[in-house]
Amino acid sequence: MALDLRLHSPAGAEPVVYTWPLTSGHGSDKHDGALEIVETIRWVCDDLPEMKGALEKNILSDYDTHSYESMRALCDRFNRAIDSVVALGSLSYAISAVILEGQFSSDVHLHGY
C-alpha cells in the first residue's frame, strides 16, 4: 500500500500529492521530495508574509525528512493552518491580490500552487 502525503493550496488549487518514500533516483538524478515539501511550505511563507511567522514557528520548527510519520505531521499541520485561514476568509484578499498581480514566486507556480 502506497503512503501519500498531501499539501493543500492556499489558492484553492488541487492538493499536491507526494508518494512515500520521497527520495527517488540515484547520483545526479536523485530527487528528494521531502526537501521539496519543506521548500514549498517556505515559498508559501515568503508569498504570504502575514502567515510567515506562524508557519515557521509552529510548522517548520520540528520535522525529520527521513520519517514518514514526521513528514505526515508536518503536512497535516500545514494543511490545518492553510484550511483554517482560508475558511475564515483571511487569505482571500491577500491571495487575490497576489494572483492578480502575478506576484506568486515562480517556484510556487512550478509546484502547482
Side-chain angles (χ1 to χ4, degrees), residues 51-62 73-74 77-78 80-81:
M51 291 189 63
K52 185 174 185 171
L55 290 174
E56 287 179 342
K57 181 180 178 186
N58 299 315
I59 295 171
L60 290 172
S61 61
D62 183 34
L74 172 73
R77 288 190 308 267
F78 174 79
R80 279 193 306 272

Side-chain angles (χ1 to χ4, degrees), residues 21 32 82 108:
D32 188 342
I82 292 298
V108 170

Side-chain angles (χ1 to χ4, degrees), residues 50-51 79-92 95:
E50 63 275 8
M51 291 189 63
N79 292 339
R80 279 193 306 272
I82 292 298
D83 292 349
S84 294
V85 175
V86 168
L88 293 173
S90 300
L91 285 182
S92 59
I95 290 173

Side-chain angles (χ1 to χ4, degrees), residues 15-101:
V16 177
V17 179
Y18 298 88
T19 302
W20 188 269
L22 298 170
T23 303
S24 60
H26 299 287
S28 63
D29 291 331
K30 188 173 183 178
H31 176 77
D32 188 342
L35 292 179
E36 184 176 320
I37 289 171
V38 172
E39 288 173 356
T40 299
I41 293 172
R42 288 193 192 282
W43 291 324
V44 170
C45 290
D46 291 343
D47 286 336
L48 301 171
E50 63 275 8
M51 291 189 63
K52 185 174 185 171
L55 290 174
E56 287 179 342
K57 181 180 178 186
N58 299 315
I59 295 171
L60 290 172
S61 61
D62 183 34
Y63 59 91
D64 176 359
T65 59
H66 301 289
S67 164
Y68 171 76
E69 292 300 323
S70 178
M71 292 303 295
R72 185 182 58 116
L74 172 73
C75 291
D76 288 349
R77 288 190 308 267
F78 174 79
N79 292 339
R80 279 193 306 272
I82 292 298
D83 292 349
S84 294
V85 175
V86 168
L88 293 173
S90 300
L91 285 182
S92 59
Y93 175 76
I95 290 173
S96 297
V98 168
I99 291 170
L100 289 173
E101 295 172 16

